[in-house]
Amino acid sequence: MTQRVRWQRPLPGGEHATVTRVVGDHELPESGAETRRFRVDATADWVRARAAGGDVTRPAADAVSVSLPADAGLTRLRLTTPDGTTRLWLPGPAAAARIDAALDGDPTAARQLTAHAGGVAALAFAAGECLTQPGLCDLLDAVTAASDSAADDLHARRYGVLVGMLSTTAGPPTDTAADVRALCEGVDAIDAVGDVSVSAVVAEAMHRVTDTPRGARAFLADHGVEPRALADDSDGVFFAALLAHAATTRGLPAAKRCATRWPASKTFGAAKADAEAADYWARGDAWRSAVPTAADQSDAVFAYALANALYWTAEVDRGDSRIDELLFDGAVVAGREIDHDWIIGHSRFERARARAHRHRTSRTHALAIAAFTDAEAIADQWSFLDAWEPVYTRAIVASNMASARGNHHAAVGALDDGRAALSELAVPDARREEMYTHFDAQRHERRAILTDEPDQRRSHLEAARAQYDQLGFDRSVERIQEKLAAAPDHGDDATNGGVRDRQRAALATRQSLAGSDRGPALADIPALHDFLTETAPEAVGSPDPGVLPSERGGPPDDLPP
């Protein structure tokens, strides 16, 4: 059964409430007064209980009865005990009927649920209390399949929603490792939402709610998470998150103590040699393997190994969660211990870019632009950093922000400003050509929106398609093909009809366009961490020193040969 008949919710002061749905003929429409009734029993006496649009009675000091009328949706019950106030969500008859209909494939019911809840994120938290965990994931799948804007919204907020469920009492229970994994993997399985990493969710929640390594261990224990098992499942990335948390909250000594609890499979000399010989993609893993055995070395040697481990892990991870930013923060702490400018500069720079890309994915364009500006300012502080990457991506995001507001002329202006800014920077020729081609493609796509002439519209779209294809931007090519296939008098509303046949993964990163074309979508920066925007090992103008180069600070003097 998707909708629970009985469930528990936490109360202030360590108490809890048991919610029981009272099943009977009163739930039937033919009763003439269809209602949903609930009894809420607590391990503490109630001081006050109120339900918007429902009748509340108190059959006992530690119990309340709630009756919700036929038109009641998801209803908030506010409860006050001697230790504080909390709220519970109860599904009224209308909400229960829409949930069942949405799960049966009714898109109208799914959209109504989302609208009445105030958005898909709010729906996830409210419905998560009274549905089974698989039922919640099935419902989110249904509402995102029914609405592109809901799909975009949940894609943008998926990590925030899941982290909130782990770090607060809101939403479904996450008391065991199985609960946590099932929730994250259930959302990850939703086609329209995008990838979800269990380790990234847990790491971000841990960083959000704890400020000591001991607090982190207690948080993991409260959720039944065994750190080493999660690190093994995440190819060691969670180990890096633990090290970064220790370093940023209590400094290098705490990170060293964390490392000593981890098994070392090699001597430091062997682990260091393997790390120095590792290729770009394996470098983070190799340096993580060196950290436990480096804990037996001097503080300087340990800081050097830790800085490498955290930096290179974050460098190749690049997802939509905050874990990369946290790892770069830890790398800065380790780098400062040995005054290593290269790691400090690169980590601060990449952290700002990672923050910008996260805000870009969340469609908080202004914050993304501010973070790209921070990255540019950081690049100006060190000769070994290039400012043109954040200048380029900032221009793309500024253009998208203007289009999202319906101002396509300003969007073209943002592209022109970006081109002018890049013309004053020492960008390698091949890289400059790629960026200019991307600007030109977006300019053509926006010009296609602005023109009223069908022939000109088609000409702009065909030019944009050719340039996107030249860059290898497959999702953008696919979007342009949809627009070309649409009749000229239908405008650019590509979210109706044929969009359903596209891969949902390509849809997930698009902006919520509210049913009208607002220009090039977020997918125009493909995953933001591939091709033009990622520091790749073969990228022109992107130094790839392997390990932190000695000519830019070098290893500590006492690093073993």
Side-chain angles (χ1 to χ4, degrees):
M1 180 179 290
T2 298
Q3 299 189 44
R4 299 179 189 270
V5 175
R6 180 178 289 106
W7 63 94
Q8 287 191 339
R9 299 300 302 168
L11 297 175
E15 307 293 343
H16 69 270
T18 300
V19 183
T20 303
R21 173 182 155 198
V22 181
V23 179
D25 290 343
H26 56 271
E27 294 187 335
L28 302 176
E30 52 267 29
S31 67
E34 180 185 0
T35 60
R36 274 271 177 122
R37 298 176 188 172
F38 299 90
R39 179 182 171 103
V40 185
D41 295 279
T43 56
D45 289 349
W46 300 123
V47 174
R48 184 182 300 110
R50 292 180 297 173
D55 294 327
V56 179
T57 59
R58 295 181 61 180
D62 60 353
V64 296
S65 292
V66 183
S67 179
L68 301 178
D71 61 350
L74 285 165
T75 302
R76 182 172 60 185
L77 174 66
R78 296 181 65 88
L79 300 169
T80 301
T81 71
D83 293 307
T85 299
T86 189
R87 68 183 184 185
L88 308 180
W89 288 96
L90 304 175
R98 291 187 187 114
I99 289 171
D100 287 341
L103 292 171
D104 286 339
D106 183 344
T108 300
R111 289 190 289 269
Q112 289 174 339
L113 268 176
T114 305
H116 290 179
V120 67
L123 176 63
F125 282 108
E129 294 190 12
C130 47
L131 300 183
T132 63
Q133 200 165 79
L136 172 62
C137 294
D138 288 343
L139 180 63
L140 294 177
D141 193 5
V143 299
T144 54
S147 166
D148 293 333
S149 61
D152 293 335
D153 196 18
L154 188 57
H155 169 79
R157 299 168 184 261
R158 66 192 189 280
Y159 275 104
V161 168
L162 293 171
V163 169
M165 290 174 175
L166 263 67
S167 57
T168 69
T169 59
T174 55
D175 300 326
T176 68
D179 289 338
V180 173
R181 181 169 296 279
L183 178 62
C184 294
E185 291 181 348
V187 175
D188 178 65
I190 299 173
D191 290 341
V193 171
D195 294 340
V196 171
S197 163
V198 179
S199 61
V201 172
V202 175
E204 185 174 337
M206 178 183 71
H207 277 259
R208 175 181 291 187
V209 302
T210 68
D211 57 7
T212 65
R214 178 178 295 179
R217 292 193 295 273
F219 171 82
L220 296 176
D222 288 344
H223 293 279
V225 174
E226 206 288 310
R228 197 164 299 165
L230 185 55
D232 290 342
D233 287 348
S234 62
D235 295 326
V237 174
F238 190 70
F239 175 43
L242 289 172
L243 292 167
H245 180 273
T248 55
T249 59
R250 286 297 184 269
L252 192 70
K256 204 170 190 180
R257 288 192 295 273
C258 177
T260 60
R261 299 188 182 99
W262 226 260
S265 58
K266 302 176 183 178
T267 66
F268 179 71
K272 169 180 169 289
D274 288 346
E276 290 174 338
D279 66 20
Y280 176 86
W281 299 108
R283 205 166 292 151
D285 181 45
W287 277 109
R288 288 195 305 271
S289 297
V291 169
T293 188
D296 295 332
Q297 308 294 315
S298 69
D299 287 348
V301 171
F302 177 74
Y304 182 73
L306 179 64
N308 271 286
L310 298 183
Y311 177 83
W312 293 113
T313 299
E315 170 71 10
V316 301
D317 182 71
R318 301 306 176 104
D320 290 333
S321 75
R322 295 172 64 97
I323 192 169
D324 302 330
E325 299 165 61
L326 303 173
L327 296 180
F328 284 129
D329 281 341
V332 170
V333 171
R336 284 175 175 161
E337 288 288 331
I338 51 177
D339 296 324
H340 206 302
D341 284 348
W342 193 97
I343 194 66
I344 296 169
H346 275 84
S347 296
R348 289 184 59 205
F349 177 73
E350 294 299 342
R351 187 204 189 280
R353 291 182 67 217
R355 185 174 80 253
H357 294 325
R358 175 170 56 82
H359 283 304
R360 188 274 318 175
T361 299
S362 299
R363 292 176 288 146
T364 48
H365 297 107
L367 294 176
I369 290 169
F372 282 126
T373 300
D374 288 344
E376 181 187 9
I378 293 168
D380 289 340
Q381 298 175 27
W382 281 285
S383 61
F384 51 80
L385 292 174
D386 296 312
W388 36 266
E389 286 286 6
V391 169
Y392 155 64
T393 43
R394 181 180 60 201
I396 295 294
V397 173
S399 183
N400 281 342
M401 180 172 69
S403 274
R405 295 172 176 174
N407 191 343
H408 306 300
H409 288 290
V412 172
L415 296 171
D416 292 339
D417 291 344
R419 190 179 188 116
L422 287 175
S423 69
E424 298 179 2
L425 299 176
V427 184
D429 290 342
R431 195 69 149 169
R432 186 190 302 275
E433 184 63 26
E434 291 170 342
M435 294 175 177
Y436 284 1
T437 300
H438 190 188
F439 286 163
D440 291 343
Q442 291 223 320
R443 183 182 291 102
H444 277 299
E445 191 169 5
R446 287 177 169 89
R447 291 296 186 193
I449 299 169
L450 291 169
T451 184
D452 293 327
E453 297 296 328
D455 290 343
Q456 291 185 16
R457 178 179 183 275
R458 175 166 291 276
S459 177
H460 280 302
L461 289 176
E462 288 176 344
R465 180 177 60 182
Q467 288 167 323
Y468 285 136
D469 186 57
Q470 178 183 337
L471 293 169
F473 285 13
D474 293 339
R475 286 176 293 184
S476 295
V477 170
E478 192 174 89
R479 185 184 63 253
I480 298 299
Q481 288 173 335
E482 288 177 5
K483 292 185 176 185
L484 286 167
D489 58 348
H490 289 170
D492 288 305
D493 184 2
T495 62
N496 297 321
V499 172
R500 290 285 187 270
D501 298 328
R502 295 178 50 187
Q503 286 189 348
R504 298 295 302 188
L507 254 178
T509 55
R510 295 179 61 179
Q511 289 172 294
S512 173
L513 302 183
S516 63
D517 191 347
R518 297 294 182 88
L522 296 178
D524 284 325
I525 309 178
L528 267 174
H529 299 303
D530 51 27
F531 197 47
L532 295 183
T533 56
E534 182 181 4
T535 303
E538 70 282 357
V540 177
S542 298
D544 179 42
V547 296
L548 305 183
S550 58
E551 63 270 22
R552 291 176 178 150
D557 293 337
D558 57 350
L559 189 66

